[in-house]
Amino acid sequence: MMREHLFGTNGIRGIINESIDCTFCLDIAKAYGSLKKGKIAIGRDSRISGMMLKDSFIAGLLSTGCKVIDADIVPTPALQYYVKNDPSVKGGVMITASHNPPEYNGIKIIAEDGTEASREEEKRIEEIYFDKKYNNVLWRDTGFYSSIDIIDQYIEGVDKILDLDLIQDKDLKIVLDAANGPGSISSSKFLRNLGIQYVGINTNIDGTFPGRDPEPIDKNLVVIQNIIRHGGFNLGVAHDGDADRSIFFDEVGRFIDGDIILSIIAKYLLETRGNGTIVTTVATSSSLRDVVDGHGGRLIETPVGSIHVARTMMDVGAIFGGEGNGGLIFADHQYCRDGLAGLGKIIEIMINRNKSLGELVDEIPKYYLLKDKVSVKNIDDRRNIIKRIQKIYSEDERARILNDGIKINYGDKNWILIRESGTEPILRIYTESKDEKKAKDLLNHGKELILID
Ligand code: MG
């Protein structure tokens, strides 16, 4: 049998009963259980197929003698926080497809320290899976199952990194859009505990996602913007399907780019602490570099992907990191994206600085960051096109060759990034400039680079 990779950039994802089903889940669980031989925590997002995949996974773990502790519907960062903080737990698994449409689901493995599993751990699971070398234990050694509610301890964990006295009972009005996912439970409770008024939309658990697509991008978030525009609100926040990301709206309902949110939080943390290292990816706006440089901090750029940001943060002792897609990582809390921690911190900044989100946005240097994609015929074409462009620029010192693409700096903070998608037959182009027309010209130039042959 060909040994293909089962795990992609975000664990294992697929369409239910087409590319991912109960039998597969059971076997992956047996492989994972054979590797870990200890107590494993499991959770899921709100998808309809979540129960069947979770139960298959639990059965597989129990058959290899693992104890299973079941947190059921929780945000991914809540499960990660629990795995990190219970020393008896040796690992975790989250049944989630994050922002994908409802017909998808997936498996995300969590390491003992609560971070996303390393590629090495995933490889070992794949090896056991392909060899079918499962640790099928004697009847009396099969595992023990119990369930647990971890939401309160997760919220307490987020509270620990916030100035609670400052933000308690403040006169703020928030609109929360939880994508009918687990953020419906945790983010609602967090705001209620704080005594902050909020209006919840899509805050009932529903795996058909009747309110909106779970990907938190501008075009899917029309309702929350309209509600804020009717007036009387200070802030809007929208989560993705497993609540590890947060996207924000200001007091007039403007969608705020995730890149700007990174800058606002980095600025605040550097101002309050005096210094520190911030980690982001090569695809993030130069506004973050301006802010970090201007406040005596250090900025490190990694390849695109939250795992790269998280691992680099751990290696260099960074205080904060994240990506422009709403993934925010606070080192004081845990080395993984946390949508609720992001919400709490934005509230704290607004109250501490006594400014609206719109005013905080206006303090950040303005750039035009454009994003587009070009479809290619098949998956292999991505690699070939990237290789060809890398070759053109191999002697050019403005170019930075990346594992998955190339970034060309034209000076004066004008740049192009071209990279291959981790999962689809497309190439992604990002360009940025202080001048809107220049950014557009660079975008066209990027497309030309991809399409010329
Ligand atoms: Mg997610």
Side-chain angles (χ1 to χ4, degrees):
M1 179 191 266
M2 208 189 83
R3 299 206 167 212
E4 47 188 326
H5 289 325
L6 301 174
F7 290 89
T9 43
N10 280 299
I12 298 172
R13 294 261 174 97
I15 294 175
I16 287 300
N17 287 344
E18 287 182 23
S19 46
I20 185 168
D21 62 12
C22 291
T23 317
F24 174 74
C25 220
L26 180 80
D27 284 345
I28 289 292
K30 285 166 79 168
Y32 184 48
S34 304
L35 176 70
K36 298 304 280 192
K37 301 187 174 79
K39 196 200 249 181
I40 304 295
I42 190 165
R44 65 179 174 109
D45 66 20
S46 63
R47 284 160 201 278
I48 300 230
S49 59
M51 193 60 143
M52 75 183 212
L53 291 192
K54 186 190 78 172
D55 280 0
S56 303
F57 212 100
I58 290 171
L61 288 172
L62 296 175
S63 78
T64 58
C66 288
K67 280 186 185 169
V68 174
I69 188 146
D70 179 8
D72 204 37
I73 297 180
V74 287
T76 299
L79 191 72
Q80 292 179 285
Y81 188 76
Y82 175 68
V83 170
K84 174 190 154 196
N85 283 290
D86 184 337
S88 71
V89 172
K90 298 298 168 216
V93 59
M94 185 72 192
I95 305 297
T96 177
S98 186
H99 63 269
N100 290 135
E103 63 271 26
Y104 283 79
N105 212 331
I107 302 165
K108 187 169 190 164
I109 303 291
I110 298 167
E112 192 170 354
D113 63 3
T115 61
E116 294 174 50
S118 64
R119 183 66 206 128
E120 290 70 46
E121 185 167 0
E122 291 176 346
K123 265 189 197 148
R124 289 168 72 194
I125 298 167
E126 285 169 352
E127 273 166 26
I128 300 170
Y129 171 85
F130 284 117
D131 291 338
K132 303 265 175 262
K133 283 193 177 154
Y134 303 131
N135 181 36
N136 291 312
V137 298
L138 286 174
W139 65 271
R140 60 172 168 260
D141 296 325
T142 55
F144 180 81
Y145 169 90
S146 61
S147 60
I148 190 172
D149 188 339
I150 62 171
I151 292 294
D152 285 340
Q153 99 177 62
Y154 167 60
I155 293 173
E156 281 165 27
V158 171
D159 286 346
K160 277 186 196 156
I161 64 157
L162 301 174
D163 187 347
L164 271 198
D165 292 340
L166 181 79
I167 60 182
Q168 189 85 37
D169 300 320
K170 280 292 181 307
D171 187 22
L172 271 188
K173 291 192 184 64
I174 293 178
V175 187
L176 164 69
D177 180 345
N180 298 108
S184 306
I185 307 165
S186 47
S187 294
S188 301
K189 194 163 188 185
F190 168 83
L191 291 170
R192 281 200 303 276
N193 288 353
L194 278 177
I196 289 178
Q197 287 188 55
Y198 74 95
V199 168
I201 56 171
N202 306 318
T203 47
N204 57 312
I205 294 291
D206 189 333
T208 64
F209 304 126
R212 67 164 168 95
D213 186 284
E215 184 166 20
I217 51 175
D218 202 357
K219 76 174 169 70
N220 293 336
L221 301 170
V222 178
V223 176
I224 185 169
Q225 297 181 53
N226 287 339
I227 292 173
I228 298 171
R229 282 193 192 117
H230 276 88
F233 293 99
N234 305 97
L235 177 69
V237 61
H239 295 308
D240 69 330
D242 65 334
D244 61 349
R245 294 196 269 146
S246 278
I247 287 294
F248 295 93
F249 302 84
D250 72 3
E251 63 281 7
V252 293
R254 269 194 305 174
F255 178 98
I256 309 301
D257 272 336
D259 295 77
I260 303 292
I261 296 296
L262 288 177
S263 292
I264 289 172
I265 296 174
K267 179 172 184 283
Y268 175 76
L269 293 177
L270 290 170
E271 281 170 352
T272 47
R273 295 179 194 213
N275 58 54
T277 301
I278 310 291
V279 179
T280 193
T281 77
V282 291
T284 296
S285 169
S286 299
S287 63
L288 182 59
R289 180 167 293 284
D290 291 354
V291 163
V292 173
D293 287 350
H295 289 78
R298 176 171 66 137
L299 183 73
I300 296 178
E301 290 183 349
T302 72
V304 172
S306 63
I307 182 115
H308 299 299
V309 176
R311 296 267 165 213
T312 304
M313 286 178 68
M314 293 169 84
D315 290 346
V316 304
I319 58 173
F320 173 65
E323 295 183 276
N325 63 3
L328 305 166
I329 306 173
F330 297 87
D332 286 355
H333 176 46
Q334 56 178 347
Y335 289 103
C336 61
R337 297 187 290 197
D338 194 313
L340 182 55
L343 169 59
K345 194 53 79 176
I346 286 294
I347 293 173
E348 178 185 315
I349 297 171
M350 287 170 60
I351 295 174
N352 184 292
R353 293 297 188 242
N354 196 23
K355 283 180 178 153
S356 70
L357 184 58
E359 288 168 335
L360 292 166
V361 169
D362 290 340
E363 292 176 354
I364 304 302
K366 174 81 184 148
Y367 285 87
Y368 294 90
L369 175 59
L370 307 181
K371 299 175 188 181
D372 207 343
K373 55 192 178 186
V374 174
S375 297
V376 292
K377 280 198 199 72
N378 66 64
I379 294 266
D380 291 338
D381 289 343
R382 291 179 314 189
R383 197 85 278 253
N384 296 332
I385 291 169
I386 290 291
K387 275 189 189 152
R388 177 174 54 70
I389 301 171
Q390 285 177 341
K391 206 173 164 193
I392 296 172
Y393 284 91
S394 61
E395 303 284 310
D396 192 326
E397 58 188 25
R398 298 173 302 175
R400 176 172 167 190
I401 305 292
L402 308 163
N403 264 342
D404 60 351
I406 183 166
K407 185 171 182 180
I408 309 157
N409 284 300
Y410 294 96
D412 213 16
K413 306 265 170 70
N414 297 309
W415 55 266
I416 295 185
L417 168 68
I418 300 173
R419 53 180 290 270
E420 49 184 309
S421 156
T423 48
E424 299 164 81
I426 57 175
L427 290 160
R428 298 186 189 281
I429 314 177
Y430 311 68
T431 67
E432 190 176 64
S433 174
K434 284 199 157 151
D435 179 74
E436 191 173 9
K437 183 177 177 301
K438 179 86 185 162
K440 280 181 187 162
D441 291 346
L442 286 172
L443 198 64
N444 289 330
H445 180 57
K447 284 182 193 167
E448 280 166 22
L449 279 175
I450 291 172
L451 297 171
I452 49 155
D453 220 343

